[in-house]
């Protein structure tokens, strides 16, 4: 048992590290004004040098690398705070779906531009009435000659405002039961009738959008999978979602809490001397290390050429809540200073606190993640679904 | 990256699972719970015959010379089975302590512990609170003879030898001493604990011959190191017990119907079981960290041991509490087996000092690392 690379892995890591040292620009994450330009330039640089989308086939801009090599490069790249967020959905979710369902011409047309970062994609799945119950979506598609005409609304679409293309699930037949009447497309986000409106979150940021469709025409050859088979296609996308969306712990980690507890006084002593504070910090350390070493176990499986087990499904569930707890703890230590938003350095805790609820919901709420573990890992029965087998247009609704 | 047990180690696990499910099912723990035995001596003899007690002992001292990873594998499976045998006292504690000795004690006791000719235990506690040097004042050694009283010693009635933490009467230094419990002047007083499947006794010593494990003193005579190493092995027992409790709860929930369907289909139960799974995965990954540190004698051992210990104690507590909760009324009957794990979880959570002390150590390790 060790943390060491095999000889091949070590050689690959050295190669990756050398290239990154020579080529990676200095940057500070996804939150600068110019992040999209920086992200695109960085993606293009990787693509030109053969370091983009490593596990993809070479013909589509990849490197035919093994999963463990892809992981090694991602780990090394993560040491630089480079903006890669704009491509997570396109490369991580749209691309695997295109590979499985698009025509050869379409793959040749779209995949290399996904790899090079020239085109950014978004995912048009969630709706006001279809969040955790995703298949309850209502955006309507109607066949009209060689086209489909789409009307409805999507929500929680990350990056829609700067995306060139999108993957879209629609309801083509409301008279069929929920999962059976869906049809899947990809479309040009500049199509006539597509309107993107940013959502202002409680953090004040706008990472998500509402997207409205008014008589949007999509050519039938941009349909992925058969008519009415959209749920199956969507599952291909969703299976890749957990791999594409990270834990989201960000800066609110153990070290942040530990450092602050060493600086702030409680009753004339640094907070860290307090047994209650120490116990709390130890809990977070154990969870953070537990997740880190769980990742090491998964990577070991990749190293052995095996498929990682289901243990990684715990990551987002644990990390998102912990980030919220740590932000809350830091504010409590700081008191009114912690809730002041006019001091750039100290307001980081308050900003993180306001951002944390979103992480516990995006990409599968805590409750959905628990259901996934319960059903797919522990093999427990699904929830009761009173809409099962009922024509969709007869299912009771209460959402606005 | 190779952060998993090897194929050979997993083969050992399969053999252990096979043996324990055949020879030490829960009915054996229950036999000890309800009867007058101090332990399942039949199962213990078979374990000795299998050579498990010799696993990590060097070949020079009659052992197999495997590493500690093999011992971790056995610990997890013993924890899962609740086998009522003195393995942890004799192997994780006494054998580990003696193996770390730099005196003749090592040559004297290690071969006999390795082949199971003698059973060992460790005597640390004197008063309430974690077994720390400042709470060890009542046992002293004068001219090679030990006097005083130690409390709550797991397997104290069973063991043939004890490693005792005591102070040199002249210097006041704390050290570990090997004591033959067959000597004149040793008194044994059985103590009832929350977990009757494991024997406990107080031991009194009146001028009993005692041999120091270390020829030099310092760092409380290796006490801290002994606790750290044992904590990793106990963490694997806790992990095995936690997973057994989750499996028991899951099986029950799938078979128990209420309101016309298995209770495993209700989110209140599903989410409970999912959270138990999460706690176990975190503990398992941290246990592997501890195993790595133990096997490689890494400088991180005190931190890794604390991390594994805290995680495993938490997982075991959560899983045993919720196992009873999911079983409902039957869960707190004597007849159902849930309480066997519930008892063991609390015993193992405090036997080397409780959760709060280990959390304190964990943060102290990080403070020391980051100050350096």
């Amino acid at each position: 048992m060790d943390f060491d690379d095999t000889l091949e892995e070590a050689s690959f890591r050295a190669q990756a590290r050398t290239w990154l040292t020579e080529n990676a620009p200095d940057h500070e994450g996804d939150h600068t004004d110019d992040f999209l330009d920086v992200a695109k330039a960085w993606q293009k640089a990787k693509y030109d040098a053969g370091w983009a989308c490593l596990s993809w086939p070479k013909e589509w801009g990849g490197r035919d690398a093994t999963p463990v090599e892809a992981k090694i490069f991602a780990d090394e790249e993560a040491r630089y705070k480079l903006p890669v967020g704009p491509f997570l959905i396109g490369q991580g979710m749209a691309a695997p779906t295109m590979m499985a369902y698009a025509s050869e011409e379409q793959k040749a047309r779209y995949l290399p531009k996904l790899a090079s970062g020239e085109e950014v994609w978004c995912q048009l799945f969630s709706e006001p009435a279809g969040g955790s119950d995703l298949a309850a979506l209502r955006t309507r598609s109607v066949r009209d000659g060689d086209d489909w005409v789409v009307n409805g609304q999507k929500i929680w679409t990350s990056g829609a405002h700067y995306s060139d293309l999108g993957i879209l699930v629609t309801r083509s037949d409301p008279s069929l039961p929920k999962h059976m009447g869906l049809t899947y497309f990809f479309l040009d986000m500049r199509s006539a009738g597509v309107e993107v409106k940013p959502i202002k979150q409680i953090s004040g940021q706008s990472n998500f959008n509402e997207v409205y469709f008014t008589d949007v025409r999509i050519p039938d050859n941009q349909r992925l999978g058969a008519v009415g088979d959209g749920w199956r296609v969507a599952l291909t996308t969703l299976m890749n979602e957990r791999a594409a969306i990270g834990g989201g712990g960000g800066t609110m980690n153990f070290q942040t809490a530990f450092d602050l507890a060493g600086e702030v006084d409680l009753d004339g002593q640094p907070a860290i001397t307090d047994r209650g504070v120490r116990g709390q910090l130890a809990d977070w350390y154990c969870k953070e290390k537990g997740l880190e070493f769980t990742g090491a176990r998964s990577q070991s499986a990749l190293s052995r050429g095996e498929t990682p087990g289901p243990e990684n499904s715990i990551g987002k569930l644990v990390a998102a809540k912990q980030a919220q707890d740590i932000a809350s703890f830091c504010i409590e230590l700081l008191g009114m200073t912690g809730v002041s938003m006019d001091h750039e350095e100290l307001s980081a805790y308050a900003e993180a606190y306001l951002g944390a609820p979103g992480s516990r919901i995006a990409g599968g709420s805590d409750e959905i993640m628990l259901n996934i573990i319960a059903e797919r890992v522990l093999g427990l029965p699904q929830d009761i679904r009173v809409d099962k087998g009922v024509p969709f247009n007869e299912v009771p609704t209460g959402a606005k | 990256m190779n952060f998993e047990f090897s194929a050979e180690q997993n083969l050992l696990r399969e053999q252990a699972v096979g043996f324990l499910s055949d020879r030490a099912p829960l009915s054996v723990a229950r036999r000890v719970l309800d009867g007058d035995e101090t332990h399942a001596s039949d199962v213990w003899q078979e374990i000795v015959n299998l050579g498990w007690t010799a696993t990590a002992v060097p070949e020079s001292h009659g052992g197999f010379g495997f590493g500690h990873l093999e011992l971790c594998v056995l610990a997890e499976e013993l924890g899962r089975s609740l086998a009522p045998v003195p393995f942890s006292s004799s192997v994780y504690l006494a054998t580990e302590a003696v193996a770390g000795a730099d005196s003749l004690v090592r040559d004297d006791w290690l071969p006999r512990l390795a082949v199971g000719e003698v059973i060992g235990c460790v005597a640390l506690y004197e008063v309430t609170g974690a077994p720390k040097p400042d709470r060890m004042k009542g046992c002293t050694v004068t001219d090679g003879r030990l006097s005083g009283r130690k409390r709550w010693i797991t397997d104290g009635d069973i063991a043939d030898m004890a490693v005792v933490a005591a102070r040199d009467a002249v210097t006041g230094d704390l050290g570990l001493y090997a004591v033959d419990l067959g000597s004149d002047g040793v008194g044994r007083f059985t103590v009832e604990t929350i977990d009757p499947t494991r024997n406990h006794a107080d031991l009194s010593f009146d001028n009993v011959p005692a041999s120091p494990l270390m020829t030099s003193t310092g760092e409380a005579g290796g006490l801290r190191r002994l606790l750290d190493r044992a904590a990793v092995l106990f963490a694997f027992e806790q992990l095995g017990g936690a997973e057994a409790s989750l499996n028991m709860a899951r099986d029950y929930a799938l078979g128990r119907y209420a309101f016309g369907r298995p209770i495993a289909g209700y989110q209140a139960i599903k989410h409970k079981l999912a959270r138990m799974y999460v706690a176990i995965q975190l503990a398992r990954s941290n246990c592997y960290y501890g195993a790595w540190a133990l096997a490689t004698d890494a400088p991180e051992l005190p931190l890794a041991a604390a991390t594994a210990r805290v995680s495993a104690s938490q997982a075991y507590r959560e899983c045993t509490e919720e196992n009873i909760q999911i079983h409902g009324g039957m869960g707190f009957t004597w007849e159902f087996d849930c309480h066997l794990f519930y008892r063991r979880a609390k015993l193992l959570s405090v036997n080397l000092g409780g959760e709060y002390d280990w959390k304190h150590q964990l943060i102290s390790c990080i403070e020391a690392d980051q100050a350096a």
Side-chain angles (χ1 to χ4, degrees):
Chain A
M1 188 179 283
D2 58 56
F3 296 98
D4 304 336
D5 288 330
T6 63
L7 281 178
E8 294 79 20
E9 289 165 8
S11 141
F12 185 84
R13 189 183 299 278
Q15 225 183 318
R17 214 173 261 187
T18 305
W19 186 80
L20 283 164
T21 310
E22 288 166 6
N23 294 280
D26 286 332
H27 199 72
E28 283 298 315
D30 275 357
H31 299 298
T32 56
D33 291 338
D34 63 345
F35 82 97
L36 188 61
D37 294 336
V38 177
K40 284 189 167 188
W42 172 236
Q43 190 63 35
K44 184 71 165 55
K46 286 194 287 183
Y47 178 79
D48 289 342
W51 291 103
C53 301
L54 275 75
S55 56
W56 292 14
K58 280 190 180 134
E59 58 173 320
W60 299 329
R63 192 186 174 100
D64 281 317
T66 63
V68 75
E69 287 171 338
K71 175 77 168 70
I72 286 173
F73 184 79
D75 288 347
E76 291 298 322
E77 186 183 13
R79 293 149 66 105
Y80 302 81
K81 289 177 181 167
L82 292 162
V84 294
F87 306 112
L88 290 179
I89 287 168
Q91 292 170 358
M93 299 171 70
T97 314
M98 292 291 281
M99 286 181 199
Y101 289 98
S103 70
E104 289 308 310
E105 283 164 30
Q106 287 168 334
K107 285 188 247 188
R109 155 68 185 83
Y110 291 103
L111 291 173
K113 290 191 176 180
L114 265 167
S116 70
E118 201 176 326
E119 288 175 346
V120 177
W121 289 55
C122 61
Q123 178 206 13
L124 300 151
F125 279 25
S126 293
E127 295 190 8
S132 292
D133 183 9
L134 178 60
L137 60 90
R138 298 183 198 176
T139 292
R140 191 74 169 86
S141 59
V142 178
R143 183 75 188 247
D144 182 23
D146 287 339
D147 289 343
W148 292 77
V149 178
V150 175
N151 282 284
Q153 184 201 343
K154 295 288 175 177
I155 194 168
W156 310 123
T157 315
S158 311
H161 52 300
Y162 55 71
S163 288
D164 302 288
L165 293 128
I167 42 178
L168 170 71
V169 196
T170 65
R171 184 162 304 282
S172 49
D173 188 347
S175 70
L176 294 173
K178 190 169 72 177
H179 292 89
M180 294 170 68
L182 302 177
T183 300
Y184 194 120
F185 302 95
F186 69 91
L187 85 160
D188 188 329
M189 286 298 285
R190 282 171 288 265
S191 305
V194 175
E195 188 188 0
V196 177
K197 289 186 181 172
I199 299 170
K200 186 174 180 183
Q201 299 145 230
I202 56 179
S203 63
Q205 294 182 330
S206 292
N207 303 114
F208 305 95
N209 300 277
E210 294 177 297
V211 180
Y212 292 87
F213 295 83
T214 310
D215 294 330
V216 176
R217 299 191 80 84
I218 301 177
D220 184 57
N221 66 12
Q222 291 180 201
R223 172 168 47 79
L224 297 175
V227 174
D229 212 19
W231 183 247
R232 195 210 312 236
V233 185
L235 286 181
T236 302
T237 312
L238 295 171
M239 295 235 287
N240 289 283
E241 179 166 31
R242 271 180 293 158
I245 293 182
T251 55
M252 290 300 124
N253 50 32
F254 167 80
Q255 190 68 44
T256 300
F258 177 86
D259 288 344
L260 191 69
E263 291 163 17
V264 176
D265 275 9
L266 280 182
D267 300 325
Q269 296 283 330
I272 196 158
T273 59
D274 180 273
R275 277 292 181 114
V277 168
R278 296 174 84 79
Q280 182 61 76
L281 290 173
D283 283 339
W284 289 329
Y285 183 82
C286 288
K287 285 188 181 158
E288 192 169 297
K289 293 314 256 191
L291 289 185
E292 182 187 325
F293 296 128
T294 300
R297 287 166 57 203
S298 297
Q299 198 178 337
S300 302
L302 290 178
S303 252
R304 292 181 186 184
E306 297 162 5
T307 307
E311 61 274 357
N312 256 348
S313 56
I314 69 173
K316 180 185 125 51
L317 176 68
V318 175
K321 176 70 164 84
Q322 178 142 322
Q324 185 172 39
D325 290 345
I326 289 176
S328 174
F329 167 84
C330 291
I331 292 172
E332 295 287 346
L333 280 188
L334 288 164
M336 286 307 293
T337 308
V339 293
S340 304
M341 302 290 285
D342 54 359
H343 189 296
E344 193 175 333
E345 190 186 338
L346 292 174
S347 65
Y349 305 108
E351 278 168 15
Y353 183 71
L354 294 176
S359 299
R360 290 185 57 194
I361 291 165
S365 65
D366 285 4
E367 292 70 23
I368 288 293
M369 302 316 287
L370 287 167
N371 261 15
I372 286 172
I373 293 168
E375 293 173 15
R376 297 193 205 155
V377 181
L378 298 177
L380 306 181
Q382 288 192 336
D383 292 348
I384 289 176
R385 297 179 174 188
V386 296
D387 58 1
K388 209 161 204 169
V390 179
F392 184 73
N393 52 16
E394 293 171 23
V395 171
T397 59
K400 74 183 203 55
Chain B
M1 184 72 70
N2 183 27
F3 196 61
E4 277 288 354
F5 288 106
S6 68
E8 293 76 18
Q9 285 152 0
N10 284 329
L11 198 63
L12 173 67
R13 181 189 305 282
E14 277 176 38
Q15 290 165 352
V17 169
F19 168 76
L20 290 167
S21 53
D22 183 39
R23 308 295 299 146
L26 287 180
S27 56
V28 173
R30 186 164 279 281
R31 192 184 87 199
V32 171
L33 175 76
D34 288 329
D36 294 329
E37 296 167 280
T38 51
H39 65 298
S41 52
D42 51 339
V43 177
W44 172 247
Q45 195 52 54
E46 291 188 68
I47 283 176
V48 167
N49 294 344
L50 285 169
W52 288 8
T53 49
T55 304
V57 176
E59 288 174 272
S60 59
H61 286 74
F64 290 132
F66 291 130
H68 282 76
L69 295 179
E70 284 73 11
L71 213 44
C72 291
V73 168
L74 294 176
E76 183 181 340
E77 298 313 321
L78 283 161
R80 199 186 304 277
S81 80
L82 292 184
V85 292
F87 193 82
S88 53
S89 301
S90 198
V91 177
Y92 317 157
L93 288 166
T95 303
E96 283 295 314
V98 169
D102 65 358
S103 65
L104 288 174
V105 166
R106 184 176 151 100
D107 294 338
D108 187 13
W109 287 106
L110 193 51
R112 289 191 277 164
L113 285 163
V115 300
E117 185 186 322
V118 296
I119 292 170
C121 67
V122 164
L124 303 174
Y125 282 97
E126 295 173 15
V127 294
T128 300
K132 293 188 171 169
D134 62 359
R135 297 199 180 98
M136 297 177 186
K137 292 171 181 159
C139 282
T140 52
V141 177
T142 310
D143 293 334
R145 291 192 171 259
L146 168 70
S147 292
R149 188 182 177 107
K150 287 285 181 181
R151 306 194 62 191
W152 311 303
I153 295 142
T154 309
D155 299 311
D157 280 321
I158 306 168
D160 304 294
M161 69 86 68
V163 172
V164 182
R167 291 190 181 274
D168 183 299
V170 178
T171 65
D173 288 337
L174 187 69
L176 297 175
Y177 293 82
V179 175
D180 185 335
L181 293 178
S183 310
D184 288 343
V186 174
R188 309 199 199 217
F189 308 88
T190 305
V191 178
E192 276 184 40
T193 71
I194 196 170
D195 183 4
T197 67
R198 302 289 286 112
N199 168 260
H200 286 81
D202 288 356
L203 293 178
S204 67
F205 306 96
D206 181 11
N207 222 27
V208 176
S211 312
L213 266 56
M214 308 304 282
T215 50
S216 60
T217 54
E219 300 203 19
L223 175 64
R224 182 73 262 157
R225 179 176 160 80
L226 175 63
L227 291 175
D228 287 343
R229 294 174 70 81
V232 174
L233 294 161
F234 275 108
F236 273 91
E237 279 210 4
Q238 294 170 306
L239 176 66
E243 211 162 71
S245 302
L246 169 59
N247 289 339
M248 191 188 285
R250 173 183 176 273
D251 290 349
Y252 184 80
L254 283 168
R256 169 73 182 179
Y257 279 61
F259 308 105
R261 60 194 298 249
I263 62 169
Y266 296 109
Q267 281 195 358
I269 302 295
K270 287 166 76 170
H271 289 187
K272 227 184 244 310
L273 290 163
R275 289 192 187 283
M276 291 159 74
Y277 174 83
V278 170
I280 287 170
Q281 290 308 315
L282 293 170
R284 176 173 294 287
S285 298
N286 286 328
C287 280
Y288 286 16
Y289 176 41
W292 166 81
L294 175 64
T296 59
D297 207 9
E300 293 96 327
L301 178 67
L303 177 58
T307 307
R309 169 86 178 172
V310 172
S311 264
S313 291
Q314 290 179 338
Y316 206 0
R317 183 180 68 230
E318 177 172 354
C319 289
T320 53
E321 288 177 358
E322 299 295 28
N323 183 31
I324 293 179
Q325 188 68 21
I326 288 169
H327 275 74
M330 296 313 291
F332 68 89
T333 61
W334 191 267
E335 178 189 348
F336 271 54
D337 289 331
C338 308
H339 67 120
L340 302 183
F341 290 96
Y342 185 65
R343 293 170 187 279
R344 182 68 62 86
K346 195 42 77 189
L347 173 66
L348 294 190
S349 182
V350 298
N351 67 340
L352 304 177
E355 191 177 321
Y356 292 99
D357 289 290
W358 283 95
K359 286 178 171 178
H360 179 60
Q361 170 173 327
L362 190 158
I363 296 301
S364 299
C365 288
I366 295 171
E367 286 174 320
D369 281 352
Q370 300 203 354

